[in-house]
Amino acid sequence: MNFRRVLPRDAIPSVDEPRFGDSYDGDADDAVIAVTDADPPRAYPVRYLQFHEIVNDALDRASGSVPIAVTWCPLCGSGIVYDRTHAGRTLEFGVSGKLADDDLVMYDRETGSEWKQSTGECIAGEFEGESLSVRLAAMLSVREFRESYPDGVVLDPPGGESEAASDDDEPAPIDYAESPYEEYASGEGFGLAAHRGLADRREWDGPADIDPKAVVVGVEFDGDAVGFPFSRVRAAGGVVRATIGDRDVVAFTTDDGIHAYADPGHEFELTDDGVVGDGTTWEPTTGAAADGRRLERLPARRLYAFTWLDDHGPEAFYRPDSLD
């Protein structure tokens, strides 16, 4: 693991007192991390997260508050929601200023332990070797979130200063109209060196048919892990299946996203109107059926292929029979 410091601690500020509202000041095509099991559902715009990377939030439940961390690493394209309760303690996370394999390293303010964002594993400190639990979440556009969850709320612009808004290592006032990672996301290189325009860029040693910044949805159960690359699932017709641990999983693609659900065993086909199966049409972004049923969304990680490769190796990508 390549582990290094690139910024001072908290130069990119976490959001620790998030507020939500009905309005959003960006475009309908903007991406959000949607926590759909909240009441009401909550959307965290990537447009804000690229300046903050972590939102320490809590969901209200009849049984009590459920602390969560909504996390985003712009270099890895990794949007993952974790449970902030670990080993009987509620942790609050900040941005350490370090990278592990070009991935955000979080730290908890209770023990100073450091955690790799893409895996949720503690890599240094009191909890070393232990991992956070992944919670349900989906990457949607604002439009998809509004249409699927009309009662949902959106994170208000947190404001403040961030190193991501600066041309050097010192934080600067945030302008959410700016997009500091736009060129990186659309470019060919990957990792910190590519983002900074340096010559010593990483070489891709993953499968030849997968781009290093291809979107992957990674699912893990019982120590088994499968990453579903958008390109491979789309090439297979937009619907694929895999058994991961003891769980049967089905993955669907949309125009620009991918979603994983518990497989109910129906014959599915992706059409222009949605996913057709078992006598009804299913919405691939939410798992909702026209007849009122809903598929069970699975805890998953959304990230770039190079990060999934770093964490799990080349054999952990979904592989269709046509490549055997």
Side-chain angles (χ1 to χ4, degrees), residues 50-302:
Q50 63 185 342
F51 293 98
H52 300 279
E53 301 191 359
I54 299 171
V55 179
N56 291 294
D57 201 359
L59 309 180
D60 294 329
R61 293 283 188 273
S63 57
S65 178
V66 179
I68 65 169
V70 179
T71 71
W72 172 257
C73 177
L75 294 178
C76 297
S78 48
I80 308 166
V81 177
Y82 289 109
D83 195 329
R84 287 198 290 124
T85 301
H86 183 76
R89 304 178 69 170
T90 297
L91 305 178
E92 182 179 271
F93 292 98
V95 178
S96 71
K98 298 178 181 179
L99 294 177
D101 297 330
D102 290 311
D103 179 49
L104 160 67
V105 175
M106 313 183 296
Y107 77 97
D108 71 72
R109 296 185 173 119
E110 286 66 36
T111 72
S113 298
E114 296 177 329
W115 308 75
K116 193 173 191 292
Q117 182 260 357
S118 61
T119 62
E121 180 182 357
C122 182
I123 56 178
E126 181 176 328
F127 298 116
E128 186 170 356
E130 302 177 26
S131 296
L132 303 171
S133 297
V134 180
R135 293 190 59 86
L136 300 179
M139 184 72 77
L140 306 174
S141 69
V142 172
R143 179 183 294 104
E144 289 171 329
F145 180 75
R146 293 294 196 202
E147 292 174 350
S148 302
Y149 305 98
D151 60 335
V153 293
V154 181
L155 178 69
D156 290 337
E161 296 184 343
S162 172
E163 188 278 338
S166 172
D167 293 329
D168 53 36
D169 290 349
E170 294 298 321
I174 296 170
D175 179 357
Y176 292 113
E178 299 294 327
S179 183
Y181 296 92
E182 183 176 7
E183 184 175 343
Y184 169 76
S186 61
E188 293 184 359
F190 61 96
L192 180 66
H195 172 55
R196 292 187 168 179
L198 303 178
D200 56 337
R201 299 186 179 186
R202 297 178 59 179
E203 296 293 331
W204 173 241
D205 57 359
D209 65 314
I210 299 176
D211 186 89
K213 291 209 296 284
V215 171
V216 170
V217 164
V219 180
E220 300 180 49
F221 288 110
D222 301 324
D224 192 14
V226 173
F228 297 92
F230 177 89
S231 54
R232 282 188 175 177
V233 178
R234 180 64 92 181
V239 179
V240 301
R241 290 181 157 90
T243 298
I244 306 172
D246 63 353
R247 300 295 301 270
D248 292 328
V249 178
V250 61
F252 304 139
T253 59
T254 61
D255 288 342
D256 55 3
I258 183 168
H259 303 270
Y261 300 95
D263 186 0
H266 309 321
E267 291 295 326
F268 289 120
E269 180 182 1
L270 183 64
T271 72
D272 291 340
D273 297 323
V275 175
V276 175
D278 200 38
T280 190
T281 301
W282 307 77
E283 173 54 56
T285 59
T286 65
D291 64 5
R293 288 180 287 171
R294 186 181 292 270
L295 299 176
E296 177 192 353
R297 185 180 293 279
L298 297 176
R301 295 172 166 86
R302 187 272 194 194

